[in-house]
Structure formats: C-alpha cells, structure tokens
Amino acid sequence: METQDYLQDLKEIKEMMSKSTQFISLSGLSGILAGIYALIGAGIAYFLIENHTEYYITLESRTFKLIILTAVCVLIASLITSYLLTVNKAKKVGEKVWNPSSKRLLVNFFIPLITGGIFAVLLLKNGHYGLVAPITLIFYGLACVNASKYTLRDVRYLGITEIIIGLLAVEFSGYGLYFWVLGFGICHIIYGSVMHYKYDRK
C-alpha cells in the first residue's frame, strides 16, 4: 500500500513539474481553422495569379499586393482565432494564458518565424520569388520545433513535417503554392484534428 502511495506521489510531482515548464492549453480547433483559412487564402491567391494579365508578377503589381494582403489577412485571422480559443481552453483547465511557460513558448516560436519573414522579404526584394514558399515553410517548421520544448510534443512533429515539405518545395520550386496548401492548409487541419481528438475532448 505504501509503495502504491509513493508511486502516486511521484506521478503527481511529475505532472506538476511538466505543467510548470509546458504550456498545454493550445487548441486543436485553432489548428483546424488556421488550415481552413490557409486553403481559402491559397484559393484567392490562385485566382489572382490565373487572372494576372501581364507576363510577370512584380513587387509593384496590383496582383502581388493583393496576394500579400491576402496572406496578412490569413495570418491575422489565424492568430486571433488561436488566441481566443487558447484563452477559452486555458480557463477550462485552470491554466493562466500569460505565464512563464507561455512566454518562453512565444519567444522561442517568434525568433525563427520573424527571421524567416525578414529572409522572405529580402528574397522578394532581390527577385528570388521561387524560394519564398520553401523558406516560409522551413522557418515556420523550425519555429514549431523550437517552441515544442515548452508545449505539447505534437507541435514538434508538425514542425518536422513543415521542414520536410519546405525542402521538397526547393526541389520543385515551380509548385510553391501547392506546397503552401499542403503545409499550411492540409497539415494544419490534420494536426489540429489529432490535437482536438487527443486533448480537447477530455
């Protein structure tokens, strides 16, 4: 009996230590919605590209500006949705949204993400359009892997998947939009569904 109590105490201590170092309130549903937003954004971008009248899409063209606007809208919608659903889940599990774990999570996530964003802008500025899709996928994957130390381990697997897709997009640079759909759309929906089934339904 004493041995069972001892093991139970150890289990509780381990869970407390895990909760103190990991932010566990990420919402799987937010991943699903982010994937849906990405698919809608990719559809709009495809429509804009197909209806572009000039031979090249330049940085100054209206088509390019609309594509960037679409991407920004998708990003903002994803961030707002993620924040709202995370706050809601945190309340349910009794976890504070802003705590040392969530702060470390955000810092480690945004360092690679912002670096990749700046890198992508520099590539656009210098006319290397074909590398933008791979770079955004790779750096997003690195951001997920880097942040996974402070949240659910499933985020690490998503990050590795995004990196692999990004590397494939380098080899097949003419299909950047399709890899974006796969990485930011389909993978997010699959990842979000798994997360929702494993954690949100409990």
Side-chain angles (χ1 to χ4, degrees), residues 80-154:
I80 292 175
T81 301
S82 178
Y83 175 75
L84 293 176
L85 292 177
T86 297
V87 168
N88 184 57
K89 184 178 177 181
K91 289 180 179 179
K92 289 182 179 180
V93 299
E95 184 178 26
K96 292 181 179 179
V97 175
W98 297 114
N99 57 39
S101 297
S102 63
K103 291 174 184 177
R104 287 193 295 267
L105 168 65
L106 289 175
V107 169
N108 282 273
F109 179 75
F110 278 111
I111 288 175
L113 194 69
I114 293 173
T115 302
I118 295 171
F119 192 12
V121 170
L122 292 174
L123 288 173
L124 286 170
K125 184 179 178 182
N126 290 279
H128 301 293
Y129 304 109
L131 290 175
V132 173
I135 287 300
T136 52
L137 285 163
I138 290 171
F139 275 89
Y140 176 69
L142 290 172
C144 290
V145 171
N146 202 41
S148 65
K149 299 187 293 289
Y150 305 102
T151 186
L152 301 169
R153 191 170 182 83
D154 304 72

Side-chain angles (χ1 to χ4, degrees), residues 1 4 26 45 59 62 68 73 76 82 85 94 113 120 126 128 149 151 154 160 172 177 187 193 196 200:
M1 188 69 178
Q4 290 181 346
L26 293 180
L59 293 177
R62 181 172 178 272
I68 294 299
C73 289
I76 292 174
S82 178
L85 292 177
L113 194 69
N126 290 279
H128 301 293
K149 299 187 293 289
T151 186
D154 304 72
I160 293 172
F172 304 99
L177 184 60
C187 281
S193 300
H196 181 71
D200 295 356

Side-chain angles (χ1 to χ4, degrees), residues 1-13:
M1 188 69 178
E2 290 182 0
T3 303
Q4 290 181 346
D5 292 340
Y6 176 71
L7 292 174
Q8 181 63 31
D9 289 341
L10 284 178
K11 182 179 179 181
E12 290 177 358
I13 292 171

